[in-house]
Structure formats: structure tokens, C-alpha cells
Amino acid sequence: MSSSTTSPLRVVVWGENRHEQVEPHVAAIYPDGMHATIADGIGENLADGASITTVTLDDPEHGLTEEVLAATDVLVWWGHAAHGEVADEVVDRVHRHVLSGMGLLVLHSGHWSKIFGKLMGTTCTLRWRNDRDRELVWTVDATHPITQGVPNPIVIDAQEMYGETFDIPAPDELIFISSFSGGEVFRSGCTFRRGHGKIFFFSPGDQDYPVYHHKDVRRVIANGVRWAASDFPREVPTLLRYDSGDFFNGHGYGRAIADADAEQTPEPARG
Amino acid sequence: MSSSTTSPLRVVVWGENRHEQVEPHVAAIYPDGMHATIADGIGENLADGASITTVTLDDPEHGLTEEVLAATDVLVWWGHAAHGEVADEVVDRVHRHVLSGMGLLVLHSGHWSKIFGKLMGTTCTLRWRNDRDRELVWTVDATHPITQGVPNPIVIDAQEMYGETFDIPAPDELIFISSFSGGEVFRSGCTFRRGHGKIFFFSPGDQDYPVYHHKDVRRVIANGVRWAASDFPREVPTLLRYDSGDFFNGHGYGRAIADADAEQTPEPARG
Amino acid sequence: MSSSTTSPLRVVVWGENRHEQVEPHVAAIYPDGMHATIADGIGENLADGASITTVTLDDPEHGLTEEVLAATDVLVWWGHAAHGEVADEVVDRVHRHVLSGMGLLVLHSGHWSKIFGKLMGTTCTLRWRNDRDRELVWTVDATHPITQGVPNPIVIDAQEMYGETFDIPAPDELIFISSFSGGEVFRSGCTFRRGHGKIFFFSPGDQDYPVYHHKDVRRVIANGVRWAASDFPREVPTLLRYDSGDFFNGHGYGRAIADADAEQTPEPARG
Amino acid sequence: MSSSTTSPLRVVVWGENRHEQVEPHVAAIYPDGMHATIADGIGENLADGASITTVTLDDPEHGLTEEVLAATDVLVWWGHAAHGEVADEVVDRVHRHVLSGMGLLVLHSGHWSKIFGKLMGTTCTLRWRNDRDRELVWTVDATHPITQGVPNPIVIDAQEMYGETFDIPAPDELIFISSFSGGEVFRSGCTFRRGHGKIFFFSPGDQDYPVYHHKDVRRVIANGVRWAASDFPREVPTLLRYDSGDFFNGHGYGRAIADADAEQTPEPARG
């Protein structure tokens, strides 16, 4: 858990920032970009407990350099129309940092982002409809830190419908389930642990609706940011050899095949 | 569940087949290759219930063409020294088939294979030592189909030690835990559901020891093959749009941004 | 898994049979009792694969003697107005059999039965409303045996609403989620493993509506019965002492305090 | 999570205090009783963050009156030889408080306590041997708050062996696995959520050995106490009726059968 009494959480909100450029109705709802609205909501709820910056797809390296990530406690991700434009190299870097302990929030259409898919290992597909359904976000786990301070249910007057079956691994914790006017349901609040990192997926939010201005949605995102942060030193899990009886001194990996010079050290397949 | 009364399960055992080529002591234990021994074990236990073939890394497309995979109910994977040589394109193909419903068994050092890492989303690292530890494989779930027909514990006289912390997502089912002479423990039998596919990771087995000749190890692998097979039609989860009130007719994805011609249809990031 | 090729599953449907006696509208929907309709649905779907009997609350020992339970593969439970009248001794007997391997289906208001509460350890409370909501039962796990052969969603025109928060432990598998006209959601299909037994909770069904005549509800219940049955020999987990190096010969429990004659052998607190 | 900055956690350590009375070797290790040693360990680690008292089996109502429990944030339980002597009425009271939000730690032979069995719903049996095995407590979840500040593994020179199969529901989180000299393994650190309460089961500790004096065991117990505490207002989940469209005003339960005066309101079966 983060020690927020002295140093604020360092939060980066990543926004694709494409819809805002080309769709006037989106720009009208989010004049500074969805990412700015999301960042405001976090700041409003965490106050001095968080130091928040925003970066976008079109920044160099999408704003996610090694230096930025090393100094980020929690990354918040919203993307939709340009998942394919996120460079694989940056995705790998973000992935490595999550596995090392950086928290990650994935919002709405981020379900189809490369980073979420890489962490989940599944297609992350779902049902959908964009037709102003009312969404009710119901609490399944009333004592979870992420569900604190919001009504049960959260009422969102107009939203894009996401429906089961949502192709994700069974979440480590299921904390919200949503229903929509049309009758569909969706596991809208899910937590996952991957490596040393904590991930929170929260589905409400679509560029066509002012969802990120919604008081309760902003509260949940802030709760999620605080939950996802970690004190644990940033380090990626590593394969080490241990001699018999020596539990505390691990040795780095040598050669897989001793008798063949041609064989190289297996590179880790990921991370 | 497989309907084995009429058609046998179609099983493919994938072996890296490198150690056997260059290390005489491995070739002595596995003269036809580890993959052949593993295949024998499955056949011995499933008899007419399985039709088994083997392929290796050095086959064209590593033996895993679209045709082969479409006709495979369960793929069994053993690799160690050459994970990096498995072509990404083939890994993606195998991944898509697992998510579509093909069963997958991952054995021992396959923990570090590209396909296992892709499905898990984590580093899959662990502790290790190759020094003839005795391994005891303890049953945690006595009624699980995979744990049937073997003693509790399974005693393996000489084995490579794998120890916690094993960097995987929490398994959907934990069915075996192993201990080693040196005192280490390991979650040695884990199942995972990903998409429509079922995955069984089983750690005993190392090229330096005759583990795949062990009666109980062979029984567990055969149990795992039967468990991982599926009757469900082979299909990958797909994102579809549904009109209000129409639950049964899904429509393919159109354009993410209606107002900008320049925006293309987002390609699925994976699968 | 049940071997249904030779011997049929032995299924007992337990019905409270009180509403049918005193409420004409219920008797009109279920002239032979809800339990008979449920039993018919199972028989219709499993045919020769099941041998089904029914018993009720007012039978001696509620129809659940030691002999009956020992010869039951799967028990199906529906109760509502008289949970408190089920004798504790019978509940303990059923509990012991479930832990020993007997399958259990708990339907609808059975969420508040003594047996379900004993197995869950929680209050099992929920939200509710009896006002002819339409229920949509959505599939969350498309390849699970219990979800086979029914549409997604199952449409039930009139039903009692059950809503989150449902106070149960996190299910081992979440397979259905329902929505209601009023907007509530509920984890309507949940599986649990307790001891050697498999439990399936399925919420649709209320004495005021003909839900147990619904084709798809009947199919799910039959799927659940087949899933919950077990080949594993009926035996309750037992505490045994093992000498060092002897893994296979367990010894019964002796005395907790060796130095005090007054101390008796601790009785198992349950089971 | 507990707000420990202003008010200390109110911790009660419940000890059976029988072995200490009748077995001199136990009294020698724990002259003030195991419960006192456990309490010291918590105080040593939480300092001003905790206000700790101890109560025993032979106190009136076993020291666990309604007033005491209402003022307890976390209850720590050690029992062994006299589980059967704990009054059912007190067990029910403790159960209700845990479901309402009181944290609970169950230590070692407490696996067979009435309260743990009531919360788990299973027999909670296991394998055992009391023969000075060395226990190694391995960390499975390195970032969990409970595993902080101790080596991996924790080395306990002499301990009673507990071995799988441990008949518990699958833990919500598995955080430690132990091995013993004899080769057995055990899920020694498990968390469970039941109702609004958090439960931590930790197996090391036996009256014959000075385990509760062990620095790392004391640290884990203190970590567990802090983890199990909750800010959530103390309230038991309750069944309420909600009118259509009114999500926020629940109504208490009326009558199960409207047409029969003889029918009473179903009492909650537990809680």
C-alpha cells in the first residue's frame, strides 16, 4: 500500500487524444481531452495525495519513456481508435514496469489496448452498442477500497453498452457488475495481479458521453489509483539459481546446454 | 469435455529436440526424443482414446501449420534451450487456437516458452537448481480429474528443483504442490482458462532425468490431455455489436471514428 | 465426472412443498409440487442417464435418511418459507454427504437454506422484489458444461428479482449473471467446491412463476446435475497422522494432551 | 484498510490456555500462556498502532461478550485440545461479528476450531506429525502486505508438520506455502473474505515449540492483524426488498407465504 502521508502518488494519465481532434461533439464534452478530465477527477479526490501529469499517443514515445515510467506509481490508460498505433516497444516497456510493480488502470475501450491484451493473454472482446443506454454500476464487494464512497448502484444516464461474454481471465477480484437499459450485463470492475503489479479495469466511460465528469466515476478512478499504487521496490521477477541449503543467494542464469557451444543463453521471452 | 466414445482425441506433442541432439546423456535417456517418450506415455494411458503425433522445433513451421492446429484437440509442449527460436508467427497461431478452444499442456521448462508467457502475461520466472533433488508431488485437489490414479504423493527420485516464487497469475485451479529435498516448494500442477481454451501446466520433467518414463508422471499427463480437450466448436471470441432488444444477432465492427475518413478500423491487438 | 454409460445418476429432488399446499396460484402452476416439475425437467434432459426421486420437508427425516443419502449422487434443493423447520440433525447429515462427495444443486430461495448457509459460512442475503421482472440469464463462461445447450441470454418473462450484493464467498466459478427489468444484477450461476463435493447454485425459479417449466431452465438444471455428480468414492476428508518418511499409512488421532488424563480426544467440530 | 494514524487497532488474542496448565514443557516455553506471547509479538511490531488484550477459554463467555466483540477490530484465535468446549452461542456471536466486519486470525490448530469450521463450511482436516520437523515458510505473493518484512523462506527449526490435503475452500489469496523436513507441503498462509470480514489463517505454531517467540512469525501475525482490520462500519449483510426503480431504500422482510397465517417470517438461518 502506498504511504501517502509524506510523498504524493505519481500518476500519469495516458490519453489517445484522437477523437477530441476530429469529432466536434467529443471536443465539446472534453475540451482539454479526456485525459485532462480524468486527471482532474483524480486530483479532485486525492488532492495533495497525488501529483498527476498527462501524456498522449502523439507525444514522442507516446510520452512513456523509461524515465517517465520509472517515476510513475500508477498509469491510467484510455484508448479506442488507435490501439494499433501504440509502438510495440513502448508496450513492452509499460508491460515490464507493470510486472515490476507499477500500478495500471485500464478504462473502457482500453479493454482492447495492446497493453491490456498483453497482460491478460486473451482477446478481451465483448458485446457492445452505442445507443445511450443507462448504465447501473452495482457493487459486488462492499468492503473493497475501490468501492468506497459511491452509491450502490452508480447511475450513469447515458453510456455505451458493454456486455458479456467479456473474454478475460477470471478476475482476481470482481468488484462491480453493470447492467444496461437493453438488459445486458458486464463485469465492469475487475482487479488483476500480474507480477508485482496491480491492475484495475473499469469499464464506464466513452468519448460520446460526459462519463468522466461523473462524480462517482471520478471517485472510483481515484480509489483505483490509490489501490493500485505500491510501496514494494520496483523490480521485475527474475529467474535465479539457488544451491542446496542456501535460500538467500540467487545466481543468474548460465547456459541451457553445457555441451554445445553454439547454444546461447535463452533470452527471457518477455518482461 | 471430450466425447471419446466415438472419435479419439487428436493429440500433438511438440518437442524442442535439441538437447537430445547434442547431449549424449539426454539421448541415452530419450533415444527417440523426449517428445516420443511423452507421446508413448499418453498412448499407454489413453489407448484407443487418443491419436498422437509428434512434431519438433526444426520441422517446417515447427510442425504447427494452420492445418495441423485446426485438427488438434490438445497440444503438449516441452521446450528449454531454444524458446527464442520459435517463430512469433507460429506462436500467434498457436495462441489463437488455444483461445479458440484447443487444449494446451505446458511441461517443465516450457514455463519459459513464448506461448505460455503470451497466455499468462507475466515473466513466469522461478527459482531453480539442477542437483538431483527428490521431488514429491502432493495432491491439493483430490477429486480433480487430473489427480486421479496416482499416489499422494508421487515420488520422483531425481529431478531439477523449481521453487517459488513462480511468477504466474493465480491459477484458476491449483491441483499439485511439490517439495524438493532442499526444502523448496512449487505450485507444480496448475490449470488456467483462457478464452475457450483449457491449459494445464505440470512442472515435473527435465532432460537430465528419466521423468517422462515415470509411470505416475505419464498418468498425470494423460489425465491432463483428456481434461484439456473440448467439444466446444473451435471459434475465437469475437467483438460484435448488438442492437437494443436483439440479443441474438451480432454485427461485425465498423469504424471507430465516424467523422474522420483517415481513421481505420481498429485491428484486434491480438488473437 | 460421472460415468453415465452404464449406471444412471441417482438424483433426489428435495422440495419444501408448503406453498403448493396453501397458495392456490402456486398449486395451479405446480399441481404435483415444484419438486415434481423440477424432477421432470431433469428426466426430460438426462433420460436414461438419471434415476430421479422426490422427497419433501414433511416426510420422515425430511426424506433424507442416511440410507437415502448414501445412495444419492446428486441432491437438488428448493426451499423458501420453512427453512427453520429443517432439522439440524438432517442438515448435518446432508452436509457430511456433500463433503464426502455427493453433489448438491441449490435453487432460488434455497440461498437461505440451512444447508447452503452451512456450506458457505456467510449470511447468503441479497436484494429482492417480487414484481414480475423479466430476467435475462447471461452466460459468462461459454465453454462450461453447465452453460451448454441454452441461448445467451436465457429469457424468463416473469421472475422474482434477486440483486447484488449477494453475500456469498467468491464462487469458485461464476458462470451466469442475470439482469432484471428494474436494472438489478445478480450472480445467478455459481459453482463451489467443498470437501469432495461439488455445489451449483442457480437462482432462477420462484413459486409464483412457472420458471421450472421453462425449457432452458430445465436444461441448465440437468446440466448442473450431471456436472455435480462424482465418481470419487464417497468418503469424508479425515485427519490422520503420518510418520516421517511414510507417506501412505495414516494413523487416527489420539490424545491432544498427553500429560492430562482428563483431556479427551477433540471431537471434530463438524463433518 | 485501518486508519491507524489516530486510533490504535483494538486487538483481542484468544487463547485456550489449557496446555499451559497441565503440560510443564509448554508452561516452560509460554509461562504467561501462548496468548500472552502472541500478544507481545503483535505489540512489538505494531507499537502504538495497536491496543491489545487477551482472553481465554475459561473466562466467562470465554471472554467474548457482545461488548468485547463490538469493540474489537481484530480477533486472534489459538485453540487445540478443547475446541468442543467453546459454547455454540459464543461461536455464533463471533461468527456474526466477523461477517459484520471484525477481522479474524486463525493460528495453527485453530484450523479445527468451531469458528473456523463455521466460516469455511468444510472439515478443515489435514495430515500431521509432531516430530520436530524443520518448517520453511515460502512466500508465494511477494507484494502482499502480510508477507512484508520477513525473509523468504522463514526458517523454523522445530515445528509440528501439517500436510496437504488441507480440506478448506480454495483460499481467496494463497500467500505462503510451507515445506517440512519429512517432505510434506502445506498452504500455510491463506486469506478468506466472508461477509464484511477478512480472515487470515496462518499455520506455524504449536504448543510444544517456541514458535510464537520467533521474530518472523511474530512479524507475519502483526502484518495479518493490520491487514484484517477494517474501517467499514460494523454491519451484518441483511436481506432487503427494493421497489422497482428505487435503488436506495430497502425494506425489511415480511411474510414468506401471504395466504397462510400459520406461516412465520423465516428466521435467518445464521448470522
Side-chain angles (χ1 to χ4, degrees), chain C residues 238-241 250-258 263-268, chain D residues 19 79-83 109 111-112 126-130 160 162 206-207:
Chain C
T238 304
L239 187 137
L240 295 171
R241 178 179 62 76
H251 305 274
Y253 195 62
R255 301 166 65 101
I257 292 186
E263 204 57 48
Q264 307 121 344
T265 310
E267 321 84 60
Chain D
H19 285 275
H80 180 226
H83 297 305
S109 40
H111 75 91
W112 239 12
L126 39 74
R127 292 188 174 217
W128 72 280
R129 165 181 59 250
N130 192 347
E160 175 177 47
Y162 274 3
D206 185 276
Q207 68 282 357

Side-chain angles (χ1 to χ4, degrees), chain A:
Chain A
M1 281 163 291
S2 72
S3 50
S4 59
T5 48
T6 49
S7 44
L9 293 184
R10 302 160 304 170
V11 185
V12 170
V13 180
W14 190 91
E16 191 181 82
N17 197 33
R18 288 292 174 81
H19 285 274
E20 296 89 326
Q21 307 310 320
V22 296
E23 292 187 305
H25 71 278
V26 176
I29 303 172
Y30 298 108
D32 297 313
M34 250 174 288
H35 45 287
T37 304
I38 292 168
D40 282 349
I42 297 168
E44 192 172 272
N45 281 286
L46 298 190
D48 293 343
S51 158
I52 309 157
T53 54
T54 66
V55 294
T56 69
L57 174 67
D58 293 323
D59 290 334
E61 293 192 70
H62 313 310
L64 302 171
T65 62
E66 181 58 39
E67 293 68 38
V68 166
L69 294 176
T72 301
D73 292 312
V74 183
L75 173 67
V76 181
W77 190 283
W78 193 100
H80 180 225
H83 297 305
E85 292 188 43
V86 181
D88 288 346
E89 179 184 353
V90 173
V91 175
D92 287 349
R93 186 183 301 148
V94 173
H95 184 246
R96 183 168 29 85
H97 274 272
V98 173
L99 297 187
S100 301
M102 182 176 76
L104 177 70
L105 264 67
V106 178
L107 304 179
H108 191 62
S109 41
H111 75 91
W112 238 15
S113 63
K114 287 184 177 181
I115 182 59
F116 190 63
K118 194 171 174 72
L119 286 161
M120 294 297 105
T122 55
T123 66
C124 305
T125 57
L126 38 74
R127 294 189 174 216
W128 72 280
R129 167 181 58 251
N130 192 347
D131 197 22
R132 306 188 69 80
D133 279 70
R134 176 189 69 173
E135 176 172 0
L136 300 173
V137 185
W138 294 93
T139 292
V140 173
D141 185 343
T143 61
H144 198 284
I146 294 181
T147 64
Q148 302 312 302
V150 293
N152 183 24
I154 296 171
V155 183
I156 307 176
D157 294 331
Q159 240 288 75
E160 174 177 47
M161 178 283 284
Y162 274 4
E164 294 291 340
T165 302
F166 185 23
D167 179 30
I168 48 168
D172 291 329
E173 295 172 309
L174 175 60
I175 61 179
F176 291 115
I177 295 175
S178 286
S179 70
F180 297 86
S181 316
E184 289 86 0
V185 300
F186 194 71
R187 285 167 290 165
S188 47
C190 302
T191 74
F192 303 89
R193 304 297 299 281
R194 293 293 184 269
H196 297 152
K198 298 165 80 168
I199 301 155
F200 172 46
F201 172 79
F202 188 51
S203 58
D206 185 274
Q207 68 282 358
D208 288 346
Y209 308 107
V211 182
Y212 294 116
H213 292 281
H214 190 300
K215 172 171 178 289
D216 301 324
V217 170
R218 288 156 79 95
R219 175 63 193 262
V220 169
I221 291 173
N223 290 344
V225 164
R226 188 159 29 194
W227 170 85
S230 167
D231 272 350
F232 197 77
R234 185 69 61 88
E235 71 181 11
V236 70
T238 304
L239 187 136
L240 295 171
R241 178 179 62 76
Y242 288 79
D243 292 329
S244 240
D246 178 359
F247 303 128
F248 304 112
N249 298 297
H251 305 274
Y253 195 62
R255 301 167 65 103
I257 294 186
D259 297 348
D261 271 353
E263 205 55 49
Q264 308 120 343
T265 310
E267 322 82 60
R270 74 219 71 80

Side-chain angles (χ1 to χ4, degrees), chain B residues 43-268:
Chain B
E44 195 171 270
N45 281 285
L46 298 189
D48 293 344
S51 158
I52 309 157
T53 54
T54 66
V55 295
T56 68
L57 174 67
D58 292 324
D59 291 335
E61 294 192 69
H62 312 313
L64 303 171
T65 63
E66 180 59 39
E67 294 66 38
V68 167
L69 294 176
T72 301
D73 294 311
V74 183
L75 174 66
V76 181
W77 190 283
W78 192 99
H80 179 225
H83 297 305
E85 291 188 44
V86 181
D88 288 345
E89 179 184 352
V90 174
V91 176
D92 287 350
R93 186 183 304 147
V94 173
H95 184 246
R96 183 167 30 84
H97 275 272
V98 174
L99 298 187
S100 303
M102 180 177 77
L104 178 70
L105 264 67
V106 179
L107 304 180
H108 191 61
S109 40
H111 75 89
W112 238 13
S113 62
K114 287 183 177 180
I115 183 58
F116 190 63
K118 196 170 173 73
L119 287 160
M120 295 297 106
T122 56
T123 67
C124 305
T125 56
L126 39 75
R127 292 189 174 218
W128 73 280
R129 165 180 60 251
N130 192 347
D131 198 22
R132 305 189 70 82
D133 279 70
R134 176 188 70 173
E135 176 171 1
L136 300 174
V137 185
W138 295 93
T139 292
V140 173
D141 185 342
T143 62
H144 199 283
I146 295 181
T147 63
Q148 302 310 304
V150 293
N152 182 24
I154 296 171
V155 182
I156 307 176
D157 294 330
Q159 240 289 78
E160 174 177 47
M161 178 281 284
Y162 275 3
E164 295 288 340
T165 301
F166 186 22
D167 180 31
I168 48 168
D172 293 327
E173 294 172 309
L174 174 61
I175 62 179
F176 290 115
I177 295 176
S178 287
S179 70
F180 296 86
S181 316
E184 289 85 1
V185 299
F186 194 71
R187 287 167 290 166
S188 47
C190 302
T191 75
F192 304 89
R193 306 295 300 279
R194 294 292 183 270
H196 296 151
K198 298 165 79 167
I199 301 154
F200 172 47
F201 172 79
F202 188 51
S203 59
D206 186 275
Q207 68 281 358
D208 287 346
Y209 307 107
V211 182
Y212 293 116
H213 292 282
H214 191 299
K215 171 171 178 288
D216 302 324
V217 170
R218 288 157 79 96
R219 175 63 192 262
V220 169
I221 290 173
N223 290 345
V225 164
R226 185 158 34 193
W227 170 84
S230 169
D231 272 351
F232 198 77
R234 186 68 59 88
E235 71 181 11
V236 69
T238 303
L239 186 136
L240 295 170
R241 179 178 61 75
Y242 288 80
D243 292 329
S244 239
D246 179 358
F247 302 127
F248 303 113
N249 297 297
H251 305 275
Y253 195 63
R255 301 166 65 103
I257 294 186
D259 297 347
D261 272 351
E263 205 55 49
Q264 306 122 344
T265 311
E267 323 82 60

